[in-house]
Amino acid sequence: MTSFRADLKEVWSRLTWPDLVSTAVAAAGLLAAVFDFNRGFFSFLKYLAVLGGIYLLFRLIGWWRNRLLWSLRNRLIVAYLFIAAVPILSIVTLVVLAARILYSQLGAYLLYEDIHQRIEMLADISEHIAIAHQTLPPGVTEGESERVLAAQSRAVHDRELPGLSIQFSNDQTLARKVIPAGKRSFAGLLQEGDALDALSIVSLRIIPDRKGERVVTLRVPVKPEFLSTVALDLGGIQLNLMERYTGGPQPALYRSGDAQYTAARRIVASNRTIQNAVFWFDSPVDIVTRLDSVYVGPDGTVELVRPVFAASNARPSRLNGRIFTSLGELRGSYLTFFILVLIVFAIIEAAALATGIVLTRRITRAVADLYRGTQYVQAMDFSHRVQIERRDQLGELAESFNKMTGSLSELIEEENKRRRLENEISIAREVQNQLFPSTLPSVPGVEIEAICKAARSVSGDYYDFIQLSPTHIAIAIADISGKGISAALLMASLQAALRSQLLVEGSECLGMVELVSRLNKHLVRNTGDDRFATFFIAVYDSATRTLRYTNAGHLPAFLICSGTSRHLDRGGMVLGVEEDYVYEEGSLTVSPDSLLIGYSDGLIEPENVYGEEFGIRRLEEAAIHVQGAAPLMVAESLMAAVEEWAGTPEQADDMTVIVARLR
């Protein structure tokens, strides 16, 4: 009952407004039909009910098809039916139809051939009579000879040709009408007038006699008695005489050339019925064949070809008897071979059916087990395992499913670890953002800006602006080896060491060589051998317009003034490699309105589609092109120039640029 209610609820949930309206209209129309309401509105309601019923039928078929084909087992059964059963049924149907067509043609041939044998028999009789008539003894008169020949012919052929009449006449009117030009005889069906007994089998022959020529006429009326002796293997026989169609309420039944014909009269064989069936599928076949006759009208008009249709029926078993009457000495062998082939075919079909059922059960059982397994996984129960019965592809699939469920918990744990790591990276990114200067120092005559784009979540590039006195400002930029969190940690260490040296009283007088040497020792002693950093630091005194700097292995910053560029490259090797390395300090006087630009290697290493790096020269040209703009616009212009050169916003390394306008 619960399942029924669930199905009912599902059907109700799928109903739409057209479904409900069609159901109501169909029910109302059914009630109107039951209570026999036929006038006015009720007739229109019945019409609407038929349309609604057709709509509901299509909806029901679609719903039933979806329900049926949801199950894999049902899909496989349908597939087997279309792959195996439907072709076999189609072949059997085709064979049955072909057999019925062949049996119908065989019956038509038997009927046609039997009637034409009678026609040929009449022609042979007339020929024998003509020969005998020409060889009369001198003492026998023609009249006596004609009577004797006619009596003999009727006595011999009375069974095959019931009602046979033989006449001798000097009148050649009919013979001249039906005998073709250049011929002296005619044999066939002759229809004289439109009476019911006008059809007969006739043989006309013109024979010479002692006084000239005479016509011998052999005639067998086509009556029910005659038809009862024709084609005894067939059932009832009916001849349909045709007449010219001249118009009327009934349409023409047959067209031959330019003429149209309709049925006129019928001749039905007497005492002829279909034989009893030998087995249950021995159903009769219908037979129709055309016989051509010569028609002579009451007014003497002659129609050389007028169709006569013979209709009959027959049992295939009787026709088989005619086909297999003489199989010869191998008849038993043929029959035995056919039975053996039939048995083998039945065994193959049974084996195929059993194999299909077994395979279907195996496949659907395996799919059902996997489906239940997915339900356990959906319920977050990863302990369920699918039972493996066979080592085939379905077994391998079940084993893969078991391995998958076994590793899902590990994957979930790894996902949790990844999320924790992402949280830690996010925290590291926030901490690193706090390491960059949050506010820019305010030194008279100095405007500074910086942009840093990390290749990953955290950057290995570092820049800093530290105000040492009202007129002194320190500008630093560094590139830490590696990327990611390890580079960010080394950057934090470098930032802490730098600020610990500069954020003390009198640091504006500290030499650049001494400062960089202290930072170098700090990194050598507190980092591994594979960790290092390139570093550039400059201290600018706006009062004296003096710039002191040291470049520890970093890309040379450059100073732009009046369209020319000067590299700041004095210093030494990178930090963190050799503890007692001696660095150099550079010093210069800055011209008014100069532009100091520092950068990391991520700004000059991007390549275009031809593999060419952007390079320092192009960076300088881009900076000179916008040297009169504000520092922020200069920095953004340089970043945009690099991205346009690479053709993609994606970057392989951290990109950092600092711009200082020295008024």
Side-chain angles (χ1 to χ4, degrees):
M1 184 64 68
T2 303
S3 177
F4 175 75
R5 290 180 178 177
D7 294 339
L8 190 61
K9 288 182 179 179
E10 181 182 359
V11 172
W12 178 258
S13 65
R14 291 178 177 268
L15 289 178
T16 61
W17 283 110
D19 298 337
L20 296 176
V21 172
S22 300
T23 303
V25 171
L30 182 61
L31 291 176
V34 170
F35 292 102
D36 199 18
F37 296 147
N38 296 317
R39 295 182 179 179
F41 170 75
F42 294 103
S43 299
F44 181 68
L45 182 61
K46 291 179 181 179
Y47 172 72
L48 293 180
V50 172
L51 297 181
I54 295 174
Y55 170 78
L56 292 176
L57 178 62
F58 278 101
R59 288 280 292 168
L60 180 63
I61 291 174
W63 176 81
W64 177 79
R65 179 177 59 84
N66 293 334
R67 293 273 297 181
L68 175 67
L69 298 182
W70 183 87
S71 171
L72 178 62
R73 176 173 298 177
N74 293 340
R75 285 176 179 266
L76 290 175
I77 291 174
V78 172
Y80 288 144
L81 288 176
F82 278 98
I83 293 174
V86 171
I88 292 177
L89 291 177
S90 301
I91 293 173
V92 170
T93 303
L94 182 63
V95 170
V96 170
L97 291 177
R100 294 186 68 85
I101 293 173
L102 291 176
Y103 283 131
S104 177
Q105 290 299 108
L106 176 61
Y109 170 76
L110 293 177
L111 179 58
Y112 180 89
E113 188 67 17
D114 201 343
I115 291 178
H116 277 75
Q117 283 181 358
R118 310 297 173 93
I119 295 174
E120 292 176 0
M121 190 179 297
L122 280 183
D124 291 341
I125 295 173
S126 65
E127 184 178 1
H128 294 158
I129 291 176
I131 295 173
H133 194 272
Q134 293 176 3
T135 58
L136 288 176
V140 179
T141 65
E142 292 182 352
E144 293 176 352
S145 173
E146 292 171 356
R147 287 193 298 272
V148 171
L149 292 175
Q152 290 178 349
S153 298
R154 284 193 296 269
V156 173
H157 300 287
D158 184 64
R159 184 176 180 181
E160 295 87 355
L161 302 173
L164 172 65
S165 64
I166 302 176
Q167 298 178 355
F168 294 86
S169 172
N170 294 323
D171 186 5
Q172 299 184 12
T173 304
L174 179 61
R176 296 301 180 185
K177 290 180 179 180
V178 300
I179 295 177
K183 303 287 186 179
R184 298 183 63 82
S185 64
F186 164 81
L189 289 173
L190 180 64
Q191 187 175 350
E192 298 178 89
D194 297 324
L196 184 62
D197 57 352
L199 183 66
S200 58
I201 299 177
V202 174
S203 175
L204 298 173
R205 181 178 293 274
I206 300 176
I207 59 176
D209 64 355
R210 296 170 184 173
K211 298 180 181 180
E213 292 183 339
R214 288 174 66 81
V215 178
V216 57
T217 303
L218 285 77
R219 186 187 305 270
V220 177
V222 179
K223 295 183 178 181
E225 296 78 10
F226 170 77
L227 292 180
S228 63
T229 64
V230 175
L232 299 179
D233 292 311
L234 306 183
I237 299 176
Q238 173 182 303
L239 292 185
N240 296 292
L241 305 183
M242 311 298 287
E243 64 182 8
R244 289 284 185 128
Y245 178 71
T246 57
Q250 298 296 330
L253 298 179
Y254 184 73
R255 179 187 297 271
S256 178
D258 297 333
Q260 295 183 354
Y261 296 93
T262 185
R265 291 162 300 282
R266 297 183 302 172
I267 304 175
V268 181
S270 59
N271 301 324
R272 289 287 293 267
T273 58
I274 189 70
Q275 301 88 353
N276 294 328
V278 177
F279 30 77
W280 63 270
F281 55 88
D282 189 20
S283 60
V285 294
D286 295 326
I287 299 168
V288 177
T289 186
R290 168 178 166 167
L291 304 171
D292 292 333
S293 67
V294 176
Y295 174 77
V296 179
D299 57 352
T301 60
V302 177
E303 187 177 342
L304 295 179
V305 178
R306 172 170 287 193
V308 175
F309 287 96
S312 181
N313 54 13
R315 297 282 183 184
S317 57
R318 290 297 296 265
L319 297 178
N320 287 335
R322 287 294 300 270
I323 296 173
F324 298 107
T325 50
S326 58
L327 282 179
E329 297 297 328
L330 298 179
R331 176 177 180 177
S333 301
Y334 289 154
L335 183 60
T336 303
F337 177 74
F338 178 77
I339 294 175
L340 290 177
V341 170
L342 185 63
I343 293 174
V344 171
F345 180 78
I347 293 174
I348 292 175
E349 280 296 312
L353 179 62
T355 303
I357 294 174
V358 172
L359 290 177
T360 301
R361 291 180 61 86
R362 289 181 182 178
I363 294 173
T364 54
R365 185 184 298 115
V367 173
D369 292 342
L370 290 174
Y371 178 74
R372 284 195 299 270
T374 59
Q375 298 299 311
Y376 281 101
V377 173
Q378 186 177 2
M380 303 301 292
D381 181 5
F382 304 110
S383 62
H384 178 75
R385 295 293 181 270
V386 177
Q387 185 177 0
I388 302 175
E389 297 181 355
R390 292 174 178 82
R391 304 306 302 182
D392 52 9
Q393 191 173 20
L394 290 174
E396 293 294 331
L397 179 61
E399 185 176 1
S400 298
F401 179 83
N402 292 336
K403 291 180 180 179
M404 180 193 69
T405 54
S407 61
L408 276 178
S409 58
E410 299 178 1
L411 293 176
I412 293 175
E413 182 63 27
E414 292 180 1
E415 177 65 17
N416 294 333
K417 291 181 180 179
R418 186 184 64 82
R419 290 181 179 178
R420 288 195 296 268
L421 180 59
E422 288 180 352
N423 293 333
E424 293 174 358
I425 292 175
S426 177
I427 295 172
R429 183 169 58 250
E430 294 178 1
V431 172
Q432 186 185 49
N433 290 335
Q434 295 176 2
L435 297 178
F436 293 112
S438 57
T439 59
L440 299 178
S442 178
V443 177
V446 178
E447 299 175 12
I448 54 177
E449 287 291 346
I451 297 177
C452 179
K453 290 185 177 181
R456 297 184 181 177
S457 299
V458 291
S459 172
D461 287 356
Y462 166 63
Y463 69 90
D464 208 347
F465 306 117
I466 305 171
Q467 187 169 357
L468 306 179
S469 72
T471 61
H472 288 78
I473 183 173
I475 302 172
I477 184 171
D479 188 356
I480 312 300
S481 62
K483 299 178 181 64
I485 295 179
S486 61
L489 293 176
L490 185 56
M491 166 192 165
S493 176
L494 179 62
Q495 189 256 12
L498 176 62
R499 286 185 171 254
S500 67
Q501 296 292 326
L502 293 180
L503 294 178
V504 296
E505 187 177 353
S507 59
E508 69 273 10
C509 300
L510 182 64
M512 296 296 98
V513 172
E514 183 178 356
L515 174 63
V516 174
S517 297
R518 291 177 183 179
L519 295 177
N520 180 47
K521 289 180 180 180
H522 172 75
L523 291 183
V524 170
R525 293 176 182 180
N526 294 284
T527 60
D529 296 337
D530 58 339
R531 310 301 293 172
F532 61 90
T534 65
F535 183 70
F536 171 84
I537 186 166
V539 175
Y540 176 67
D541 183 1
S542 62
T544 62
R545 305 193 65 80
T546 302
L547 181 69
R548 296 179 294 117
Y549 71 92
T550 294
N551 189 338
H554 197 76
L555 293 171
F558 49 88
L559 189 66
I560 298 175
C561 182
S562 301
T564 62
S565 174
R566 180 177 179 179
H567 287 195
L568 307 180
D569 53 3
R570 297 193 64 181
M573 67 184 303
V574 297
L575 304 181
V577 176
E578 186 177 341
E579 182 175 353
D580 298 326
Y581 185 81
V582 179
Y583 291 90
E584 297 181 10
E585 178 180 311
S587 178
L588 68 155
T589 300
V590 179
S591 301
D593 202 24
S594 297
L595 197 65
L596 175 64
I597 296 178
Y599 53 93
S600 65
D601 56 357
L603 207 67
I604 64 170
E605 291 179 351
E607 299 177 348
N608 62 6
V609 294
Y610 302 106
E612 298 176 336
E613 289 188 351
F614 188 69
I616 298 176
R617 182 179 59 82
R618 292 186 179 89
L619 185 65
E620 291 177 351
E621 293 175 354
I624 292 173
H625 184 69
V626 293
Q627 63 177 336
L632 180 58
M633 186 175 294
V634 174
E636 291 177 347
S637 177
L638 295 179
M639 286 287 186
V642 174
E643 291 179 356
E644 183 179 358
W645 175 264
T648 174
E650 297 181 0
Q651 56 189 82
D653 199 0
D654 303 326
M655 299 171 61
T656 303
V657 62
I658 58 175
V659 180
R661 173 78 64 184
L662 307 178
R663 298 292 183 182

